[in-house]
Amino acid sequence: MSNPRTRIALLGTGLMGLPMARRLLGAGFPVSVWNRTAAKARPLADDGAEVAATAADAVRDANVVITMLEHGGVVRDVLETHGVREAMPAGALFVDMSSIQPAQAREHAAQLAARGVGALDAPVSGGTLGAESGTLAIMAGGAAADFERALPVFAPLGRATHVGPAGAGQLAKLANQMIVGITIGAVAEALLLAERGGADAAKVREALRGGFADSRILEVHGQRMLERDFAKRGAVAVQLKDLRNALVTAQPLPLELPITSLLEQLFASAAEHGLADVDHSGLWLELARRNGLG
Amino acid sequence: MSNPRTRIALLGTGLMGLPMARRLLGAGFPVSVWNRTAAKARPLADDGAEVAATAADAVRDANVVITMLEHGGVVRDVLETHGVREAMPAGALFVDMSSIQPAQAREHAAQLAARGVGALDAPVSGGTLGAESGTLAIMAGGAAADFERALPVFAPLGRATHVGPAGAGQLAKLANQMIVGITIGAVAEALLLAERGGADAAKVREALRGGFADSRILEVHGQRMLERDFAKRGAVAVQLKDLRNALVTAQPLPLELPITSLLEQLFASAAEHGLADVDHSGLWLELARRNGLG
C-alpha cells in the first residue's frame, strides 16, 4: 500500500491535519509538514515528519501535496503568496482536503493544470475523531486518473468516493452540510413538539429509532438536545458558514433552495443570540428561545 | 404469550388492519373483525376470524378493541354512531392505532375512562410491509398499566414504546412525520445542488452514507429521487395532512415550528401542482419544478 517513492507534503497541521499526518507517517509514507504557526507542526518531528521552514520547502520534492486549511482564501494564499504553486514539481498531485467553495476549487485546479500539476478537491466529513482513527469520509472531485493515483494516500485516512470532476468533492461536502443542518432542525422541532405537547421526549426519540425518521442526527444530536449538552463538537458558526457557501454556490446556477435558506436564517439568528460557539445541535436553543422556552 | 382469555376485536381491516388481524390470528388470539365496507373484512373468515355484522357486535365480548381507521373523525364515528363506546364491556381496553390528532386521542380516552374503559393511543410507523411482517414501530400513549396489559397484543405486531400519557403516542407519530417530511426536503435540496452543480449525484449519496448526513431517508427516498421513481408508497397528500396536524397541534401550545411550516407550504404546493398522489419523495419534483427543471 505505502509506496516509498510517494513523498507527501501536508500543509496545515491543525486539529484535522495533525492526526492525518500521523496516520500517513504510520502507513510508512515519508511526510514533510508545514504550518503557518510553526509550533503546531513541530510535534510531528517526533513521529518522523520532516518539519519544513516554509510551505515552498515542504512541497519541493513531494509527489502528493495535501492541504488541510481553514477556508478557500487560505488555500489561495498558500498556493500563491507562499509560492506552493511555483514550487510543486511538474507531474505532482495537489489534494486539497479543506472545505472551500466549489468555484474556488475549480479555479485552483485550472491554475494548477496550466503548470502540469493534477488536482483533486477532497474535503472530508468525520471530524477529529475520524481523522485520528482513519475513518474519514473523503469526497473527491477531479480526473479519474488523479483519483486513482491518490487512493493509496487516502487509504490510511478513510473511505474515499470519486463524486465527479473538479469542484464535485466540495459540492458533496455542501450537500452533506445541508442535510446535517436541516436534519438538526427537523429533530429539534420534533422533540420540542413532543416535549411541549406532554410526551416523554426521550421515549419518543427511542420509539422513532429504526423507522423512517431515524438518522445519525436523531441518534447523536437528538441525544444532545435531550441532555441539553451543547458543548461544541461542530459549531453553529461553522454550520452557518457551510449553509452560506451552499447558497452562494446555488445562486448563479441558478438554484433556489428554500429549506437551506430558512436554516441559514435560523442558524444566523442563533449566532446573533450568543450561540455561535455552541454545538450545531444548539439550534434547539434558538427554537426554544423563539418560543419563550429559553 | 397469547392468552386464550384475551379476546380481540379489530375494527378497520384496510391496507394496515387486514395484515394486522392476520398477525394476531397467527399468534393464537381469538379475533372478531368489522369493516365499514364489509367485503374488506370477509376474507379474514378463512384465517379464523369471526366477521361481525356491526361494530358493536364485534366488540361486545372483547377484552381488547383495536381500531385502525383513516382519521380521527372516523374513530369518533365508530365510537359514537356505531355504538362501540356503549357496547364495550367495562374493564376492556381500547387501543386506537389510527393516526389522529393528539387532542382527539385525549378526548376519546377521557370519554372512555368515564365508562370504565381504559384507552391507549398507539399509532404506528412502518407501512403495510411492517404490518405484514410484524415489525411496526408502535408509539403508545396512556396509563402505564394499560400499556403493560396491551404488550402481549402488541408483540405479534411490532416493537412498542410507551412514550407518555394519553395523546403522547399521537405526538410521537407527528414527530416522526415531521422528521420524515423535513428530511425528505433536506435530501432533495442536497441532491439537486449536487446534480445541478455538476457532481455525480448518485456518487454523492454513496459518499454521504455512514456519515452524519446518513438517514433512512437518504438511503430509501434519496435512491427514489435519483431513479426518478415516485410511485406512491407514502403519498404527498398524507405527508401534507400529517404536517398540518403537527401545526394544528403546535398552535395552541403555543409553539412556532418554522421549518415544519415551510415544509407544509412546499408539500401543499406540490399537491396543487398535481403531485398529491405521488410518493412523498416526489417533493424533489416540486423543488425541480420551482427551478425550471421539471
Side-chain angles (χ1 to χ4, degrees):
Chain A
M1 187 118 75
S2 70
N3 182 342
R5 294 174 60 198
T6 300
R7 294 188 54 83
I8 299 174
L10 193 149
L11 311 178
T13 57
L15 285 175
M16 293 295 290
L18 186 95
M20 287 166 64
R22 287 208 171 109
R23 299 275 323 166
L24 293 167
L25 288 160
F29 288 105
V31 180
S32 62
V33 296
W34 171 83
N35 196 71
R36 209 152 32 158
T37 309
K40 287 191 186 169
R42 224 162 282 140
L44 285 165
D46 294 341
D47 299 277
E50 187 184 317
V51 181
T54 69
D57 284 349
V59 306
R60 223 173 295 278
D61 299 321
N63 312 106
V64 174
V65 174
I66 294 174
T67 43
M68 192 42 140
L69 300 162
E70 212 180 326
H71 55 74
V74 182
V75 177
R76 194 192 51 220
D77 268 10
V78 163
L79 280 170
E80 295 177 7
T81 317
H82 289 273
V84 163
R85 197 163 60 213
E86 301 301 315
M88 280 181 75
L93 180 63
F94 179 76
V95 183
D96 184 14
M97 302 187 78
S98 326
S99 290
I100 74 174
Q101 290 181 19
Q104 294 175 304
R106 279 191 291 267
E107 195 183 316
H108 296 161
Q111 290 164 347
L112 288 161
R115 290 204 68 255
V117 170
L120 295 174
D121 51 298
V124 303
S125 170
T128 53
L129 214 69
E132 284 157 14
S133 58
T135 57
L136 293 168
I138 304 168
M139 299 155 260
D146 288 333
F147 179 72
E148 294 298 322
R149 279 168 73 195
L151 277 177
V153 174
F154 287 149
L157 303 177
R159 182 175 67 93
T161 309
H162 184 220
V163 293
Q170 299 297 346
L171 280 167
K173 178 71 190 277
L174 291 178
N176 188 82
Q177 300 305 90
M178 287 164 66
I179 294 177
V180 166
I182 298 171
T183 311
I184 283 175
V187 171
E189 288 199 356
L191 293 180
L192 272 169
L193 178 67
E195 186 174 327
R196 191 71 183 274
D200 179 333
K203 290 284 188 182
V204 168
R205 172 179 162 282
E206 202 181 302
L208 268 44
R209 297 294 315 278
F212 274 133
D214 204 3
S215 65
R216 287 277 284 147
I217 298 296
L218 180 68
E219 181 191 346
V220 176
H221 300 75
Q223 188 58 27
R224 291 178 193 165
M225 293 174 202
L226 292 171
E227 294 174 354
R228 312 291 196 256
D229 167 17
F230 300 115
K232 179 172 70 174
R233 265 77 46 139
V236 161
V238 174
Q239 183 71 60
L240 179 58
K241 181 205 73 172
D242 290 333
L243 295 178
R244 285 181 172 162
N245 278 344
L247 294 174
V248 163
T249 300
Q251 199 261 327
L253 292 175
L255 192 65
E256 179 209 355
L257 300 172
I259 313 172
T260 305
S261 297
L262 173 61
L263 269 293
E264 189 272 336
Q265 291 164 33
L266 293 171
F267 277 106
S269 175
E272 282 158 22
H273 287 86
L275 299 173
D277 211 39
V278 308
D279 191 67
H280 47 173
S281 57
L283 186 66
W284 188 94
L285 290 170
E286 166 67 14
L287 291 166
R289 184 192 62 74
R290 284 166 171 249
N291 283 293
L293 307 168
Chain B
M1 185 116 73
S2 71
N3 183 342
R5 294 175 60 196
T6 299
R7 293 188 52 85
I8 299 174
L10 193 148
L11 312 179
T13 57
L15 285 175
M16 294 294 291
L18 185 95
M20 289 166 64
R22 288 211 169 105
R23 299 275 322 166
L24 293 166
L25 289 160
F29 288 105
V31 181
S32 62
V33 296
W34 171 84
N35 196 71
R36 209 154 30 160
T37 310
K40 287 191 187 171
R42 222 163 283 139
L44 286 163
D46 295 339
D47 300 277
E50 188 185 318
V51 181
T54 71
D57 284 348
V59 306
R60 223 173 295 279
D61 299 320
N63 313 105
V64 174
V65 173
I66 295 174
T67 43
M68 191 42 139
L69 301 162
E70 213 180 326
H71 56 72
V74 182
V75 177
R76 193 193 51 220
D77 267 9
V78 163
L79 280 169
E80 295 177 8
T81 317
H82 290 272
V84 164
R85 196 164 59 215
E86 301 302 314
M88 279 181 76
L93 180 63
F94 179 75
V95 183
D96 183 15
M97 302 188 78
S98 327
S99 290
I100 75 174
Q101 290 181 19
Q104 293 175 304
R106 279 190 292 265
E107 196 183 316
H108 296 163
Q111 291 163 346
L112 288 161
R115 290 204 68 254
V117 170
L120 294 174
D121 50 300
V124 303
S125 169
T128 52
L129 217 67
E132 283 157 16
S133 58
T135 57
L136 293 168
I138 303 167
M139 300 157 260
D146 288 333
F147 179 71
E148 294 298 324
R149 277 169 74 194
L151 277 177
V153 174
F154 287 148
L157 302 178
R159 182 175 68 92
T161 309
H162 184 220
V163 294
Q170 299 297 347
L171 279 167
K173 178 71 191 277
L174 291 178
N176 188 82
Q177 299 306 89
M178 287 164 65
I179 294 177
V180 166
I182 298 171
T183 310
I184 284 175
V187 171
E189 288 199 356
L191 293 180
L192 271 169
L193 177 68
E195 185 174 327
R196 191 72 185 272
D200 179 333
K203 290 284 187 180
V204 168
R205 171 178 163 281
E206 201 182 303
L208 269 44
R209 297 294 314 278
F212 274 133
D214 205 2
S215 65
R216 287 277 284 148
I217 299 295
L218 179 68
E219 183 192 345
V220 176
H221 301 74
Q223 188 58 29
R224 292 178 194 166
M225 293 174 202
L226 292 171
E227 293 174 355
R228 313 290 197 256
D229 167 17
F230 300 115
K232 179 172 69 175
R233 266 76 45 139
V236 160
V238 174
Q239 183 70 61
L240 179 58
K241 181 206 73 174
D242 290 333
L243 295 178
R244 285 182 171 161
N245 277 345
L247 294 172
V248 162
T249 301
Q251 201 261 328
L253 293 175
L255 192 64
E256 179 210 358
L257 300 173
I259 313 171
T260 304
S261 296
L262 173 61
L263 268 293
E264 189 272 336
Q265 290 163 34
L266 293 172
F267 277 106
S269 175
E272 283 158 23
H273 286 87
L275 298 174
D277 211 39
V278 308
D279 191 69
H280 48 171
S281 57
L283 186 66
W284 187 94
L285 290 170
E286 166 65 15
L287 291 165
R289 185 192 61 76
R290 285 167 169 250
N291 283 292
L293 306 169

